[in-house]
Amino acid sequence: MNVQEYILSGIVESYVMGIASPEDSADFERMCAAHSEVREARNAFELQLEERLLAQKLDPPRELKSRIFSEIGMEKDENSPRIPLRKPKLVPRIGFAKYVAAASLILLGGSVALNFYLLEQYKKTIAQNKELVDAQTQVAGTNRILQTKLATYENALSLMKDPLMAIVKLPGVPTSPAPLSMATVYWNTYSKDVYLLINQLPRPNADKEYQLWAIVDGKPVDAGVFNLDEGVSFVKLKTIPKAEAFAITMEKKGGSTTPTMEALYVMGKVDG
Amino acid sequence: MGLTGTYTEQELVTALKAQDDQAFSYLYDHYSGSLFSIILQIVKSPEVAADVLQEVFVNIWRKMESYDPVKGRLFTWMLNISRNASIDMLRSKNYQNSQKNREITDTVYGNDQVTQTSIDSIGLTKFLGKLRPEQRVLIELAYFKGYTHDEISQIEDIPLGTVKTRIRNALLQLREYLK
């Protein structure tokens, strides 16, 4: 291959365009050094290419020149740190956003679940509290009843212990509708107050009441009515200044002026 | 001559080797448009092309000392720096990821038509259109994609000798086209 054939082989264009192989390029540079025709052929093609390409401009972004000058300006000043001015690459942030979104949903879900849980707990607590208040009220009520009963019993006990108290046993009379009945009169010999302990008496009908009679000078005197409601077993009745005996009959509600002898349950004499 | 204005090519090279800001400004004003055009023909995206052009001019500034006028003209040197930088960009992972996204966007919106049309009508890409298909493929792979002759031989499954011959014949047509 002579020089002219070499020039027309396409190597000039391949070399200038930068697509010749390294071996071919090295070969071409030797040929350029050795043959002015090759150099001239190369130069002619370069000029053609340059003229054509310089006529085919597309404007780069306006701010690019200042960006480039800033970058090389930094490099010129040895003391300045080199700050890369390349526009940061648009790295898709979707991956990160996805994690944030996922985390938000998880947190939201957790929050909703927690709210439901706390609401349920709150309702439960309210219900439990109401139960406790009710129970407490009930206990307080029971306590009040027990306190009252206790006071009554304590009071009764202290009365019974009183040395001035005369005790009159009233056993069931043979004609009593309930012969096994029994009652006890506690009669304060100083104040003349009469208390009655019901040991054993049948419960009267709803329209009837028991009535205590004091026998004074052979005549019955009303000493008060009582019933057996609410388990009452110790009652204060009327003050009786003087009596030889006590008796209990069942009368109509409210009591009678004279005792019904058929309904005499118990009777006992006062010890002289 | 490709140069107009106050500098001859020799003066410009001397000033640039001395790191003269004014000479560099002149260089940018006169060559950035055509280099941007070449870069755009390879990387296709104007945003990416701008990034590449910035890198190219910074490299020209840094490597000016290594430019040897004996091996070719200044513009040829800058053209090859631009092409190499563009092909490096094509092969970078960032670019390949962004292209995938771009293809999807372009498919949906078709907004790349204008750019593509303008690229097709300029410079070397326009020349590509004048080649026979079997030559066009080889120039596309060699010049615009940066594959070596060996690689093209494997990709196209044709003998290495045939690759060289077809490329050189295509480039001889380029000389005619440029006249």
Side-chain angles (χ1 to χ4, degrees):
Chain A
M1 191 189 284
N2 62 35
V3 173
Q4 209 52 46
E5 284 170 340
Y6 182 72
I7 289 169
L8 294 175
S9 70
I11 181 65
V12 176
E13 295 76 14
S14 291
Y15 176 83
V16 170
M17 299 292 284
I19 57 178
S21 68
E23 308 86 65
D24 288 350
S25 294
D27 211 33
F28 183 77
E29 283 172 13
R30 278 195 295 276
M31 289 297 280
C32 281
H35 304 279
S36 61
E37 303 102 295
V38 179
R39 248 188 345 264
E40 281 160 18
R42 186 199 70 195
N43 202 45
F45 179 71
E46 283 188 274
L47 279 170
Q48 281 182 347
L49 185 65
E50 187 172 329
E51 277 181 27
R52 177 59 74 102
L53 294 186
L54 284 178
Q56 307 274 356
K57 293 181 181 185
L58 287 176
D59 288 337
R62 210 170 279 277
E63 78 284 357
L64 193 66
K65 187 177 180 182
S66 61
R67 250 158 65 189
I68 291 166
F69 269 79
S70 305
E71 193 173 342
I72 66 164
M74 294 295 175
E75 288 183 13
K76 278 180 79 179
D77 187 351
E78 295 289 341
N79 296 326
S80 299
R82 189 182 295 184
I83 299 165
L85 287 171
R86 281 281 290 273
K87 196 172 65 179
K89 287 278 185 306
L90 206 73
V91 178
R93 299 294 300 277
I94 189 77
F96 179 65
K98 217 157 58 187
Y99 288 125
V100 170
S104 302
L105 282 178
I106 290 167
L107 287 175
L108 180 63
S111 175
V112 168
L114 183 64
N115 280 336
F116 271 109
Y117 174 74
L118 290 177
L119 182 62
E120 283 311 304
Q121 289 297 304
Y122 174 72
K123 282 180 181 168
K124 229 181 263 181
T125 307
I126 291 285
Q128 282 172 347
N129 187 47
K130 192 175 179 297
E131 275 172 36
L132 285 173
V133 168
D134 289 351
Q136 205 264 343
T137 307
Q138 210 173 341
V139 167
T142 309
N143 188 38
R144 212 160 41 238
I145 292 164
L146 290 175
Q147 287 285 348
T148 310
K149 273 189 178 174
L150 182 61
T152 309
Y153 289 137
E154 276 180 345
N155 189 36
L157 187 60
S158 69
L159 287 170
M160 290 172 191
K161 277 159 65 183
D162 193 333
L164 292 173
M165 200 69 83
I167 298 169
V168 184
K169 282 192 183 269
L170 313 179
V173 295
T175 56
S176 169
L180 292 176
S181 296
M182 165 79 82
T184 309
V185 169
Y186 289 84
W187 186 29
N188 192 305
T189 52
Y190 177 73
S191 67
K192 307 299 181 184
D193 287 339
V194 171
Y195 300 89
L196 181 71
L197 175 69
I198 297 120
N199 303 93
Q200 177 67 49
L201 276 176
R203 184 175 282 269
N205 291 329
D207 58 333
K208 304 276 177 136
E209 267 182 329
Y210 284 110
Q211 188 166 8
L212 179 70
W213 302 93
I215 311 301
V216 182
D217 299 328
K219 291 179 181 166
V221 174
D222 171 42
V225 295
F226 63 92
N227 57 51
L228 302 180
D229 291 350
E230 298 163 11
V232 172
S233 57
F234 191 80
V235 287
K236 185 176 182 289
L237 295 172
K238 291 185 176 172
T239 302
I240 302 296
K242 186 182 165 199
E244 302 117 46
F246 287 97
I248 294 174
T249 57
M250 187 184 281
E251 305 293 336
K252 64 179 190 298
K253 222 171 170 83
S256 308
T257 46
T258 55
T260 309
M261 293 315 291
E262 303 81 51
L264 175 66
Y265 275 70
V266 293
M267 189 165 90
K269 287 181 178 169
V270 179
D271 289 338
Chain B
M1 286 291 286
L3 277 176
T4 50
T6 55
Y7 293 92
T8 64
E9 175 149 334
Q10 207 173 12
E11 285 168 350
L12 182 59
V13 168
T14 307
L16 287 172
K17 279 181 185 284
Q19 301 216 313
D20 183 317
D21 282 353
Q22 273 194 321
F24 191 66
S25 175
Y26 172 90
L27 186 80
Y28 183 87
D29 291 344
H30 281 76
Y31 294 102
S32 61
S34 48
L35 294 181
F36 185 64
S37 162
I38 279 289
I39 292 165
L40 190 57
Q41 289 171 61
I42 298 173
V43 302
K44 312 292 186 192
S45 146
E47 290 81 14
V48 176
D51 282 349
V52 173
L53 184 64
Q54 178 170 350
E55 186 186 319
V56 163
F57 268 91
V58 170
N59 277 334
I60 289 169
W61 176 264
R62 285 184 195 157
K63 293 178 179 172
M64 199 59 214
E65 207 47 52
S66 71
Y67 166 64
D68 182 1
V70 172
K71 291 183 177 177
R73 292 181 57 81
L74 179 62
F75 179 79
T76 305
W77 184 67
M78 295 194 296
L79 181 63
N80 284 322
I81 289 177
S82 301
R83 176 177 161 265
N84 290 337
S86 303
I87 288 164
D88 285 348
M89 176 59 83
L90 280 190
R91 293 178 177 175
S92 72
K93 252 204 154 64
N94 275 350
Y95 177 84
Q96 288 176 5
N97 289 340
S98 75
Q99 280 310 101
K100 277 178 200 158
N101 296 339
R102 250 171 60 83
E103 278 164 22
I104 293 164
T105 330
D106 292 348
T107 309
V108 175
Y109 301 105
N111 59 0
D112 209 35
Q113 284 308 111
V114 178
T115 318
Q116 195 55 53
T117 308
S118 59
I119 290 174
D120 285 345
S121 67
I122 59 169
L124 298 174
T125 309
K126 192 175 181 183
F127 162 70
L128 269 189
K130 297 187 180 303
L131 294 171
R132 291 201 306 274
E134 72 268 22
Q135 290 178 321
R136 188 189 308 144
V137 170
L138 299 193
I139 294 294
E140 177 78 31
L141 289 172
Y143 190 80
F144 290 94
K145 304 287 185 198
Y147 289 110
T148 66
H149 292 184
D150 278 335
E151 287 166 340
I152 294 169
S153 164
Q154 286 173 20
I155 291 167
E156 291 296 303
D157 197 21
I158 47 179
L160 183 59
T162 310
V163 172
K164 281 192 180 183
T165 310
R166 283 191 190 166
I167 287 177
R168 287 191 179 190
N169 286 338
L171 289 176
L172 286 173
Q173 290 181 51
L174 175 60
R175 179 191 274 184
E176 291 306 309
Y177 168 74
L178 293 175
K179 272 177 183 169

